[in-house]
Amino acid sequence: MEKKRRIGNSEIYTCPFVLGGNVFGWTADQKESFRILDAFLDSGFDFIDTADVYSG
């Protein structure tokens, strides 16, 4: 895995890979959502995009 990167000028560091969570509860049911989240975290990643809408 790539090393963590700093977000802007903050003291926050995160992996450069982000999981989009907008499918949870929609196209991925609860069981599948937890399977994906568990695998994501077990792989050492830590950044999840939880937005449910983006402006056009």
Side-chain angles (χ1 to χ4, degrees):
M1 178 191 330
E2 207 171 318
K3 67 179 184 175
K4 292 188 177 192
R5 296 181 184 176
R6 188 176 190 174
I7 298 178
N9 293 324
S10 73
E11 294 301 317
I12 300 171
Y13 289 81
T14 188
C15 297
F17 182 81
V18 179
L19 175 65
N22 62 331
V23 300
F24 300 141
W26 295 96
T27 56
D29 64 17
Q30 183 178 10
K31 183 177 179 180
E32 182 68 3
S33 296
F34 277 99
R35 187 193 67 74
I36 293 167
L37 288 166
D38 289 342
F40 183 76
L41 295 172
D42 288 346
S43 296
F45 296 110
D46 61 2
F47 197 174
I48 301 172
D49 175 1
T50 60
D52 62 355
V53 67
Y54 294 95
S55 61

